[in-house]
Amino acid sequence: MRVSAITLNRINNHKPILKQNQNINSVAPKNYKGVNDLSFMPVYQIPFTSIQNSSKLRALFRYRLPCIYSGVPMIDPKQAAKLLKSGVFNGASEKSVKTLSEFSECYSGMEKRLFDILTARSKVHPDYNLKQLIGEVEPFFRHDLRKKQSDIFHNIELEFKNLPEEYQSKFNDLMTETYKRVNKRPVFIPFSAYEFKYKLAKIRDVVANEHDLKSNKVMKKLIKESKKLPNVTNKETKPEQKRVLGMLDWILKKSVLKDNPELKELISTSRARLTKQEVILPFSRKSYLYDLHKIVENIPDEKVRTKIMDEAFKLPTSSQDFSAYLVKLSWESSDRIASRILWPYLASVEHIVPRSVGGADTMFNFAGATTRENSLRKSIDFTQQMKLRPDTPKYCQQYVDKLIDLYKDGEFAKNNVNPKYIEDFKKTIKKVSKGQIDLDISKYYEALEKNSQNAVKP
């Protein structure tokens, strides 16, 4: 994708962890359309919410409400969390794919294509888990991705050939590491305590979302012990870093999280890096852009800087290129792969008027939207959102039609939801759309009248 008029944002007052996190927003130009790329999210959490007064709406998520922006029948987050906690997705694909198929009507795009591949391969290897199934087809997609990356790397290399030696040397070191990563060869990456603590905190967030007391206790112990890890790695601090990592490994092996693949991988890889062992690490587009930017930011010629970074931003992203998507997933555990498929379609509480602009935490301002759509909208004005999602009027009508059906079937009463929510939703949508969306709730009034008549009968 072409990035025009590129002016990279300076990274001011960043913490050392930024070097490891390499947030895409730190290096992307302001007009770069990929900054909302959700495929870069480090974890895929089940979106349980502490939003006040939202429990009534969340009670209705079990009925597959359609998303007001995409029309997708949304998955109940509680159901998804229960399945992930059960461990069903870590077992044989025959069962895990069958479980995923319960939500097949929800999938589209990348997730639909991945689900279709897993379904087909599970028929051949029903005893494989999801990670093994992806590992079986990964070489083909990695080869496809490698071809796309090679042309871009070649063009960048041509630009560096005309630069002074100081820039060429740094770039050659970056490309040596890069080619090892894209070809899954071992590389030496110095240990970073900042990176370790950051990743451990991300795993803690995922574990906390599963609401398991024993697991949360273990994570508290791990976090507490990790604070003893010296942030600087040198001859004097290495013994203490080794001791802390060893203790973390011991705590993990004695705990209920001993089989957690993310924790095991993080600790084992960190211990290897601390002892200067080479490890196999995935290629990261974000990391590459960040490191390349650090090399070119002092090049005097702005046109050269622009041309190099312009070319680098063409590298395929996992949100736009299926090969990049599958290769990235091949590094994840089976349950995380399943979570990655489910996550975009989980139901979440959407503030029709965003909280950031004064939207209230009340039912009249709530609607159901998929996690993906909710995350992408952020604080965009509703009329602007309608331009980005032109079918919003149709999907809002589908949403309210589903609510009416649930009311008629007695589900509102069963879940103690005030049916006035249907009227409030209509009024709020009409207001925020500036009258462009006037939902038809005549069937609700018919049902309301019928219930009133039944109530007064002797």
Side-chain angles (χ1 to χ4, degrees):
M1 177 174 68
R2 184 73 177 172
V3 181
S4 60
I6 186 170
T7 304
L8 295 174
N9 298 328
R10 291 284 180 177
I11 305 170
N12 296 320
N13 302 319
H14 68 283
K15 295 179 181 179
I17 185 58
L18 185 59
K19 181 67 176 79
Q20 281 72 42
N21 188 22
Q22 288 139 340
N23 190 323
I24 191 68
N25 292 316
S26 301
V27 297
K30 291 179 180 178
N31 62 339
Y32 177 57
K33 293 182 174 60
V35 291
N36 287 330
D37 179 0
L38 295 182
S39 66
F40 286 140
M41 298 187 74
V43 294
Y44 307 107
Q45 296 184 31
I46 304 299
F48 292 126
T49 176
S50 59
I51 298 172
Q52 292 184 7
N53 307 314
S54 65
S55 60
K56 303 300 183 185
L57 177 58
R58 286 186 278 121
L60 299 178
F61 285 165
R62 73 187 71 172
Y63 302 109
R64 297 278 179 94
L65 295 177
C67 171
I68 64 169
Y69 301 129
S70 66
V72 168
M74 299 182 292
I75 302 169
D76 182 8
K78 288 187 177 180
Q79 184 183 9
K82 186 176 180 180
L83 289 171
L84 287 165
K85 189 175 180 180
S86 73
V88 64
F89 297 120
N90 287 321
S93 63
E94 183 176 35
K95 188 172 182 179
S96 55
V97 169
K98 183 179 179 181
T99 303
L100 286 171
S101 68
E102 296 175 17
F103 313 100
S104 58
E105 64 175 332
C106 307
Y107 309 143
S108 63
M110 299 278 197
E111 294 79 25
K112 175 66 165 62
R113 186 174 175 186
L114 176 62
F115 172 72
D116 288 344
I117 289 174
L118 293 174
T119 300
R121 298 314 302 166
S122 69
K123 293 177 181 177
V124 180
H125 299 292
D127 54 326
Y128 280 19
N129 60 33
L130 297 182
K131 184 176 179 66
Q132 289 172 318
L133 291 183
I134 287 185
E136 184 188 28
V137 299
E138 186 268 350
F140 170 81
F141 290 98
R142 179 158 50 90
H143 179 71
D144 177 68
L145 176 62
R146 185 70 181 87
K147 287 194 296 184
K148 297 170 185 174
Q149 293 168 331
S150 293
D151 289 341
I152 297 168
F153 289 145
H154 176 69
N155 292 336
I156 296 173
E157 287 168 350
L158 290 177
E159 292 299 321
F160 269 92
K161 284 186 177 180
N162 298 319
L163 294 175
E165 175 61 29
E166 60 178 301
Y167 298 111
Q168 290 190 39
S169 177
K170 292 178 182 178
F171 175 71
N172 289 337
D173 289 342
L174 172 61
M175 291 311 300
T176 296
E177 178 188 313
T178 296
Y179 282 127
K180 285 183 178 180
R181 287 195 177 205
V182 297
N183 290 302
K184 300 185 84 169
R185 294 174 184 166
V187 294
F188 168 65
I189 305 293
F191 171 73
S192 165
Y194 287 109
E195 178 186 5
F196 179 88
K197 293 174 183 178
Y198 170 79
K199 290 184 175 179
L200 187 63
K202 287 298 181 182
I203 296 173
R204 174 200 58 195
D205 293 342
V206 175
V207 172
N209 222 36
E210 295 172 354
H211 304 284
D212 182 81
L213 291 176
K214 289 185 178 179
S215 297
N216 285 329
K217 270 183 150 182
V218 174
M219 288 309 307
K220 284 181 179 179
K221 286 183 181 179
L222 293 173
I223 293 292
K224 183 178 180 180
E225 184 65 27
S226 72
K227 290 179 179 178
K228 301 175 184 177
L229 201 61
N231 290 328
V232 178
T233 303
N234 55 39
K235 187 176 181 181
E236 287 73 32
T237 61
K238 267 190 178 181
E240 177 62 8
Q241 288 180 328
K242 288 180 181 179
R243 186 199 69 76
V244 173
L245 289 176
M247 178 59 67
L248 290 169
D249 189 41
W250 183 84
I251 293 172
L252 179 63
K253 287 178 178 177
K254 297 290 183 179
S255 75
V256 294
L257 291 175
K258 62 183 178 182
D259 295 321
N260 183 289
E262 284 77 25
L263 284 171
K264 289 168 65 177
E265 177 70 17
L266 175 60
I267 294 176
S268 63
T269 300
S270 297
R271 296 181 81 178
R273 287 169 60 178
L274 188 58
T275 55
K276 294 187 176 182
Q277 297 178 40
E278 290 189 329
V279 293
I280 296 177
L281 296 172
F283 169 73
S284 166
R285 181 178 181 272
K286 283 190 296 182
S287 299
Y288 182 81
L289 291 173
Y290 184 95
D291 291 337
L292 184 64
H293 170 239
K294 297 301 289 182
I295 295 173
V296 306
E297 64 179 343
N298 294 320
I299 294 176
D301 192 329
E302 184 179 351
K303 288 185 178 179
V304 174
R305 295 200 309 268
T306 298
K307 194 171 183 179
I308 290 173
M309 294 307 299
D310 231 9
E311 190 67 24
F313 271 101
K314 294 178 183 177
L315 286 167
T317 69
S318 55
S319 67
Q320 298 170 334
D321 184 275
F322 185 76
S323 292
Y325 171 80
L326 187 137
V327 168
K328 184 175 181 177
L329 275 188
S330 69
W331 294 87
E332 307 231 30
S333 60
S334 291
D335 61 342
R336 191 63 65 83
I337 291 167
S339 179
R340 184 65 176 91
I341 295 173
L342 297 172
W343 181 85
Y345 309 103
L346 298 178
S348 67
V349 177
E350 164 75 328
H351 285 77
I352 304 172
V353 178
R355 278 195 289 185
S356 59
V357 294
D361 283 340
T362 52
M363 276 292 281
F364 73 80
N365 191 42
F366 291 154
T370 62
T371 307
R372 171 181 280 163
E373 293 293 337
N374 198 338
S375 299
L376 285 174
R377 183 194 170 190
K378 296 185 178 178
S379 297
I380 296 174
D381 182 78
F382 195 85
T383 53
Q384 180 63 27
Q385 175 71 2
M386 289 171 62
K387 293 177 182 178
L388 297 173
R389 297 288 186 270
D391 289 328
T392 296
K394 178 176 71 173
Y395 297 137
C396 282
Q397 185 63 54
Q398 290 179 6
Y399 179 80
V400 81
D401 287 345
K402 180 68 173 181
L403 293 177
I404 293 170
D405 287 341
L406 291 174
Y407 168 68
K408 290 161 66 176
D409 292 341
E411 302 301 338
F412 270 58
K414 185 187 297 184
N415 292 282
N416 197 26
V417 179
N418 191 331
K420 191 176 180 296
Y421 171 58
I422 295 172
E423 297 178 72
D424 290 338
F425 177 73
K426 170 187 168 69
K427 291 175 183 177
T428 303
I429 291 296
K430 186 173 183 178
K431 182 178 180 180
V432 296
S433 68
K434 293 182 169 53
Q436 296 179 64
I437 304 178
D438 190 8
L439 299 170
D440 177 11
I441 62 170
S442 57
K443 291 182 180 178
Y444 163 68
Y445 290 124
E446 290 173 8
L448 198 63
E449 172 124 359
K450 185 178 179 181
N451 287 345
S452 298
Q453 290 173 355
N454 291 336
V456 298
K457 284 182 180 179

